[in-house]
Amino acid sequence: MSSTEKYLKPEVIRTVSRLDLRARFIVEGFFNGLHASPYHGFSVEFSEHRRYTQGDDLKDIDWLVFAKTDRYYVKKYQAETNLTGYLVMDLSESMAYTYRQELTKFDYSICLAAALAYLMIHQQDPVGLITFDEKIRHSIPAKSKRTQLGNILALLSKLQPTGQTEISKNLQRIAAMLRHRSLVMIFSDLLADSGPVIDALHMLRYAGHDVILFHIMDEAEVNFPFDGMVDFRDPETGETMLVDAAGIRGDYLDSVGALRENYRKECLSAGVDYVALDTSIPFDRALVEYLSQRKARF
């Protein structure tokens, strides 16, 4: 593993204090590892090109790309290449949880969002940021200027997860807010009734938006590494429950698996990209999902 690829690991990026450097290191580590990965075709070098087709003007052929690939590519026009994206952050207190990982669910989400903002701005794609708990808290309109990255990172670095959340209602509000077709990237642990959330995702799709749902859980929430009698506390309601970990492990893991599978199926049906992540997973998976969406658009 190269010196930059190591920054795809959450436990390594935790050692970097500045959010702007975290974002840069994640993106650089990602692209550094692309060459030897199955995602080599997403190389940013050719993200602004498409294959030559009969009828294209020969003067639009990029001969430098031809020299590298022995294939004909034409440069896309600006209108063809811009993808407007919105990063949508769940501020619920449950996102502050971690058991034994270096990053909380919220830290992990912030790192991913910062990296995606960094990537989009450097590809000249407009990007904005929306945050919510029980209501919409912040909204930065999408722009592609270099100063936009600083605006987004400044807000991301100040955010704190507190209180309860209303995921479905806020996704409905966002669907009504956005006037132009956008890629909506949602970061949440989805600790809410799944039915209304899925209905809201359908509403976003009906409004013409593309959606990536990053379902971010703590590694312990996925693997349940607990033993003996454990006192669990709901961070949003304060309710506690003393349970025998061994006695409920099987049922708990079945429930988590069923929840994720239900989201996967429902999102597939709605045309939403569902990405199940936990805080032990390297960051590159999320960047691949973004680039897959971007490539599919054009």
Side-chain angles (χ1 to χ4, degrees):
M1 180 178 294
S2 74
S3 60
T4 52
E5 284 179 84
K6 69 182 181 182
Y7 287 107
L8 293 172
K9 292 185 174 184
E11 65 269 24
V12 175
I13 207 66
R14 177 67 178 84
T15 65
V16 180
S17 59
R18 284 173 44 185
L19 185 57
D20 59 333
L21 294 180
R22 286 184 176 187
R24 196 185 88 193
F25 289 163
I26 290 170
V27 172
E28 289 180 355
F30 171 65
F31 281 113
N32 192 65
L34 275 183
H35 182 75
S37 80
Y39 309 117
H40 181 50
F42 295 127
S43 174
V44 71
E45 183 177 2
F46 303 114
S47 63
E48 307 300 334
H49 294 78
R50 60 175 171 79
R51 291 288 294 273
Y52 172 83
T53 58
Q54 188 173 0
D56 287 331
D57 196 325
L58 291 175
K59 68 179 176 61
D60 290 330
I61 292 176
D62 191 323
W63 296 106
L64 290 177
V65 173
F66 173 76
K68 294 180 179 181
T69 65
D70 201 29
R71 295 179 180 178
Y72 296 109
Y73 284 84
V74 297
K75 187 80 172 177
K76 293 179 183 177
Y77 292 103
Q78 188 73 12
E80 291 183 275
T81 60
N82 282 148
L83 171 68
T84 298
Y86 279 91
L87 307 164
V88 178
M89 303 294 303
D90 181 356
L91 302 180
S92 61
E93 189 171 350
S94 64
M95 292 287 285
Y97 176 73
T98 186
Y99 174 60
R100 61 186 182 188
Q101 291 298 322
E102 296 292 338
L103 300 177
T104 68
K105 291 182 283 186
F106 194 70
D107 293 333
Y108 189 93
S109 299
I110 292 294
C111 288
L112 283 184
L116 286 165
Y118 181 96
L119 180 57
M120 293 189 74
I121 291 297
H122 282 266
Q123 291 185 307
Q124 299 181 32
D125 287 331
V127 60
L129 173 64
I130 299 172
T131 73
F132 69 90
D133 44 37
E134 293 181 295
K135 63 181 182 180
I136 301 293
R137 293 295 179 183
H138 308 91
S139 178
I140 298 179
K143 296 179 182 178
S144 58
K145 296 179 179 179
R146 288 299 176 102
T147 55
Q148 179 76 342
L149 180 60
N151 295 335
I152 289 175
L153 295 184
L155 178 54
L156 286 175
S157 65
K158 296 176 183 177
L159 295 176
Q160 295 293 330
T162 56
Q164 300 186 21
T165 189
E166 288 283 356
I167 301 173
S168 59
K169 290 182 180 179
N170 284 297
L171 293 184
Q172 293 173 21
R173 290 169 182 144
I174 290 167
M177 283 170 52
L178 302 182
R179 300 301 181 190
H180 304 287
R181 183 187 177 197
S182 302
L183 172 60
V184 180
M185 295 163 280
I186 303 163
F187 303 81
S188 176
D189 55 10
L190 300 177
L191 293 184
D193 185 1
S194 62
V197 175
I198 290 167
D199 289 342
L201 294 172
H202 278 278
M203 184 176 293
L204 280 166
R205 292 290 293 134
Y206 184 77
H209 305 296
D210 293 320
V211 181
I212 303 178
L213 177 60
F214 294 113
H215 187 182
I216 298 172
M217 302 181 70
D218 187 72
E219 174 265 344
E221 292 175 324
V222 174
N223 298 316
F224 203 78
F226 305 102
D227 291 303
M229 300 301 295
V230 182
D231 193 8
F232 290 107
R233 174 183 173 273
D234 186 319
E236 295 183 20
T237 66
E239 295 180 4
T240 61
M241 180 182 295
L242 184 66
V243 301
D244 175 14
I248 70 165
R249 178 175 288 108
D251 288 341
Y252 173 85
L253 292 175
D254 287 344
S255 296
V256 170
L259 175 67
R260 289 174 133 190
E261 179 61 15
N262 181 59
Y263 267 112
R264 187 192 68 80
K265 289 182 177 179
E266 293 291 342
C267 286
L268 180 64
S269 174
V272 171
D273 286 349
Y274 173 68
V275 187
L277 298 170
D278 70 61
T279 51
S280 70
I281 293 177
F283 295 108
D284 53 344
R285 185 175 175 189
L287 300 187
V288 166
E289 290 297 329
Y290 160 70
L291 290 176
S292 296
Q293 268 283 355
R294 194 181 195 284
K295 187 177 183 183
R297 279 286 197 97
F298 308 113

